[in-house]
Amino acid sequence: MTVEGVTESGSDSQTDRSHPQPPTRHGINTYEPDVPVAEAPEGEAWGRKLIGLLTASFGIAGLLMIPSGQFTDVESVLVALASASTVPVALAWILGRWPSRRMANVYVLWADIGILFVLLAHESPFVAMPGCAMFAIVALFAIVGTSPRVLTAHLILAALVLVYLAVMAARSGMEPWSVASRVVTIGSLFITPFALRPYIRFLRQRAQVGLRDSLTGLWNRRGLFDMVDQLNYARAGTKVESRAIGVVVVDIDRFKAVNDRYGHPTGDAVLVEVADRLQQAASTGSGDGRNDPTTDSVVSRLGGDEFVCVHIGTRAEVDDAEQRLRAALEESFSGPPFTTSVGSAGDTTIRGDATGTLVRKLIALADIELYRNKQEHSDGDPRRSHDPLLVRDRIESLVSDGGPTVVFQPICETATTAVVGYEALSRFPFGHGSPLMWFKDATAAGVGPQLELAAIDAALSAMHVLPETAFVSLNASASTIRSTDLLSRLRPHLHSRVLYLEITEHERVDDYRAIARSVEGLRAAGVRISIDDVGAGFSGLRQVVELKPDTLKIDYTLVHGIDTDPTRRAATAALAAFAREVGATLIMEGVETEEELRVAVELDVDMVQGFYTGRPVTT
């Protein structure tokens, strides 16, 4: 896969590549580091704050000892400096992020040195002995933040310091029985971490059972996103150029036929073999991929016969991972004959710590590619195509229930990023495929216009809460514009709001004369016409020339990375010049970064749409 070749969009048409519905699937992972539960990006904020407060309390305790007269003037200054050092460390915990394993080890060493210094500075070893309890507090962090080796070394040091203070206290004339009592009391605190660690491990194991697919032993859907977050988090501190994330979705073709012909036990064996093949291909470490902390891949079972593989690393590593996966699937399998379909998507950056949203988008994009590949290979084979009757029933049932839900993504003026309009995007029942698949299935089953009209009706009904000064862009295919009376639906709203009709790109226009006549009728009534995804699919220059749209929308594949790609910039500049020449408004969709917005300003693009300037909102 070329990572920049397939990326997520910051905006989209009615088929909505930018915000696909997250799939309801399950999954596995070849990366299972010994990362504590508290280190998970979604749940570590409270832990960081707690440790920061405990660190600050250590400093406060040291400062409170100074007025007691236990230290000399020089020792008081040193204790004050040691106590003051807790302030930046505490702030780093509270305001920063959970440290890497190496930094956690450094934190334990720093805490041990500080505690040891303060304890040895006391005039009375007997009075200093209770301070060894601070070693036990640090040990609680070591349980979840460091390795067993570091925890053991820390507690050995604590025990040695306690014994040393006890010996010195006895030699100074303190009652031996009192000294022994303190040793036993404080020493018992050092045993507690060894008792807690097995219990924490047991809780983790129980939690992982709920994250695994019972058949293949792979991660389920929840486990997939948890492990991708941990993998990204673990790699966040490494110096990696051009960090990338890649997703490969795998589907077993006609898996139901395998079950029907050979039986479910054979079908289960096929699933296990595919899972093992993907596991071995995805792992970059020397182990089996399940517990090797050096691997950068997460492999999951997403549903009955679908799998997803996520890889994080450099662009070259992501490409190599996909090639290994594809090669593994091309090798012959034991058991009944079957084939697989593959789709992939990727992004060149990872925004922030949490990757769940990004992974969901990439999975949906990979699903689209997989679906297209499956359709291409199923041409002429009616056994592999969707049953039109079942699709029709599904679409009609959805329409009768009110149709798809609608969200509105802001369209902004480029120079000021002020919102001037909204595009209506369709949302479908969770877990039943991307919007593109819904519309493609509906078109293939002969009910495409019916579904599109339901989506338009839902948008017209929901848009009343939007500012009246903002235009609303609605999506429709050429066949729907040509074969239905759209104007009767739009006319009641034209007196109060500017409406754009955005012609989607997933359908080839065969009869330009017929569609041009319909478009002119809509334009005469006040509806403005927009061509979606110019530069991709069927949205070529002929469609622009024949239909003379008021607005052109540049496809997100030309926008993504435009700030670093001279070719994309040149293509967009040419389209901008063309739009000015014909008097059309130009919109760049898929603007996701400040740099991409800067290029839009430099090229004098009229409007922008994308995650950077505004995400879809519900009404």
Side-chain angles (χ1 to χ4, degrees):
M1 150 180 80
T2 301
V3 175
E4 61 264 67
V6 183
T7 59
E8 85 278 13
S9 166
S11 61
D12 202 1
S13 64
Q14 193 170 353
T15 57
D16 192 11
R17 286 181 303 270
S18 64
H19 280 266
Q21 293 295 311
T24 52
R25 300 169 173 167
H26 303 288
I28 125 184
N29 162 15
T30 62
Y31 173 77
E32 187 179 1
D34 186 19
V35 178
V37 173
E39 285 189 47
E42 294 181 356
E44 47 81 25
W46 67 269
R48 288 188 292 101
K49 290 180 174 60
L50 178 60
I51 295 173
L53 293 174
L54 287 174
T55 301
S57 72
F58 280 22
I60 294 172
L63 292 174
L64 293 175
M65 292 180 185
I66 296 176
S68 66
Q70 301 180 56
F71 311 118
T72 65
D73 291 341
V74 175
E75 289 173 340
S76 296
V77 172
L78 295 176
V79 169
L81 291 175
S83 300
S85 72
T86 63
V87 175
V89 176
L91 290 176
W93 273 107
I94 294 173
L95 303 178
R97 55 181 297 160
W98 194 281
S100 63
R101 177 63 59 83
R102 179 177 300 177
M103 289 305 299
N105 294 341
V106 172
Y107 174 77
V108 172
L109 178 62
W110 168 81
D112 286 352
I113 293 174
I115 295 171
L116 180 62
F117 173 81
V118 174
L119 293 180
L120 296 181
H122 280 75
E123 288 184 354
S124 171
F126 185 77
V127 174
M129 288 177 66
C132 290
M134 290 188 173
F135 284 116
I137 296 176
V138 175
L140 295 178
F141 164 77
I143 292 175
V144 297
T146 64
S147 64
R149 184 180 303 174
V150 173
L151 174 64
T152 301
H154 166 75
L155 292 175
I156 289 175
L157 172 64
L160 292 175
V161 173
L162 179 62
V163 171
Y164 172 79
L165 293 175
V167 171
M168 297 303 295
R171 292 182 62 180
S172 66
M174 293 301 302
E175 167 59 39
W177 293 109
S178 297
V179 173
S181 175
R182 285 199 173 184
V183 169
V184 172
T185 302
I186 298 171
S188 63
L189 297 178
F190 300 159
I191 302 174
T192 304
F194 289 106
L196 286 177
R197 189 171 182 87
Y199 182 67
I200 291 176
R201 183 176 294 277
F202 168 73
L203 292 178
R204 290 179 189 162
Q205 291 173 346
R206 287 194 60 183
Q208 285 195 353
V209 170
L211 303 178
R212 295 282 187 179
D213 171 60
S214 59
L215 175 63
T216 62
L218 309 180
W219 299 108
N220 58 27
R221 181 177 180 275
R222 179 182 174 186
L224 164 68
F225 291 106
D226 285 352
M227 296 310 298
V228 170
D229 268 348
Q230 289 192 23
L231 174 59
N232 183 43
Y233 198 82
R235 298 297 182 265
T238 60
K239 296 181 179 179
V240 180
E241 296 182 4
S242 302
R243 292 193 61 189
I245 181 169
V247 170
V248 177
V249 174
V250 178
D251 174 83
I252 301 176
D253 299 323
R254 302 186 64 227
F255 182 68
K256 183 177 184 299
V258 174
N259 274 332
D260 292 344
R261 181 172 182 179
Y262 300 99
H264 288 282
T266 299
D268 290 346
V270 168
L271 293 172
V272 171
E273 183 169 5
V274 171
D276 290 341
R277 194 75 66 85
L278 294 175
Q279 234 178 231
Q280 295 171 12
S283 176
T284 59
S286 59
D288 64 359
R290 288 181 181 269
N291 300 295
D292 183 1
T294 64
T295 184
D296 294 299
S297 294
V298 181
V299 185
S300 308
R301 183 182 175 199
L302 290 189
D305 59 344
E306 295 174 289
F307 301 83
V308 66
C309 309
V310 180
H311 190 89
I312 294 177
T314 66
R315 290 164 57 183
E317 289 171 344
V318 170
D319 287 344
D320 290 344
E322 182 187 350
Q323 295 306 316
R324 291 197 306 271
L325 291 168
R326 289 182 181 271
L329 295 173
E330 289 173 0
E331 297 176 8
S332 60
F333 289 85
S334 60
F338 66 92
T339 59
T340 59
S341 295
V342 178
S344 62
D347 197 359
T348 53
T349 59
I350 303 173
R351 303 171 186 83
D353 293 335
T355 56
T357 300
L358 177 59
V359 171
R360 285 184 177 92
K361 290 188 292 184
L362 294 179
I363 288 175
L365 286 172
D367 261 338
I368 293 172
E369 183 181 271
L370 180 147
Y371 180 83
R372 287 173 174 167
N373 292 337
K374 190 183 289 288
Q375 290 295 98
E376 291 174 3
H377 289 93
S378 66
D379 288 348
D381 186 355
R383 295 172 301 172
R384 297 183 63 181
S385 60
H386 295 285
D387 186 341
L389 294 178
L390 294 179
V391 172
R392 184 186 293 266
D393 289 343
R394 176 163 56 93
I395 299 298
E396 291 178 346
S397 175
L398 176 70
V399 172
S400 64
D401 290 338
T405 57
V406 175
V407 296
F408 295 91
Q409 183 168 34
I411 299 174
C412 302
E413 197 275 331
T414 303
T416 64
T417 66
V419 177
V420 294
Y422 295 88
E423 180 183 0
L425 303 173
S426 297
R427 293 291 186 266
F428 291 89
F430 181 83
H432 292 274
S434 67
L436 177 63
M437 294 177 66
W438 277 83
F439 285 108
K440 275 186 168 292
D441 287 349
T443 299
V447 289
Q450 183 179 351
L451 180 58
E452 291 184 26
L453 291 178
I456 290 173
D457 288 340
L460 293 173
S461 175
M463 71 179 185
H464 67 278
V465 300
L466 302 175
E468 291 186 359
T469 55
F471 67 81
V472 172
S473 184
L474 307 168
N475 295 276
S477 65
S479 62
T480 298
I481 295 174
R482 184 177 60 249
S483 62
T484 64
D485 184 12
L486 272 178
L487 185 56
S488 64
R489 283 178 157 81
L490 304 182
R491 194 188 299 277
H493 305 276
L494 292 175
H495 69 283
S496 59
R497 187 186 303 276
V498 174
L499 295 179
Y500 278 80
L501 194 63
E502 195 167 309
I503 304 175
T504 54
E505 55 82 25
H506 62 270
E507 179 184 52
R508 182 184 298 277
V509 177
D510 296 318
D511 187 352
Y512 278 101
R513 289 187 177 181
I515 186 65
R517 286 194 297 269
S518 298
V519 165
E520 285 306 316
L522 290 165
R523 181 182 281 118
V527 180
R528 300 186 185 180
I529 304 301
S530 176
I531 298 295
D532 186 30
D533 295 336
V534 174
F538 300 113
S539 298
L541 287 180
R542 185 185 175 190
Q543 186 168 346
V544 174
V545 170
E546 295 283 352
L547 301 182
K548 299 178 178 59
D550 302 284
T551 297
L552 305 178
K553 297 189 73 172
I554 302 176
D555 184 63
Y556 79 103
T557 57
L558 294 181
V559 176
H560 184 79
I562 192 174
D563 53 305
T564 59
D565 189 336
T567 304
R568 283 183 168 86
R569 184 186 179 107
T572 302
L575 288 172
F578 175 81
R580 286 192 292 269
E581 185 70 21
V582 300
T585 301
L586 191 65
I587 301 176
M588 274 176 54
E589 62 175 345
V591 174
E592 299 179 348
T593 67
E594 181 180 359
E595 291 74 17
E596 291 170 353
L597 177 62
R598 173 177 49 78
V599 174
V601 173
E602 293 172 354
L603 297 179
D604 199 23
V605 174
D606 300 288
M607 289 178 278
V608 292
Q609 178 181 355
F611 296 155
Y612 185 74
T613 55
R615 293 178 176 271
V617 295
T618 58
T619 58

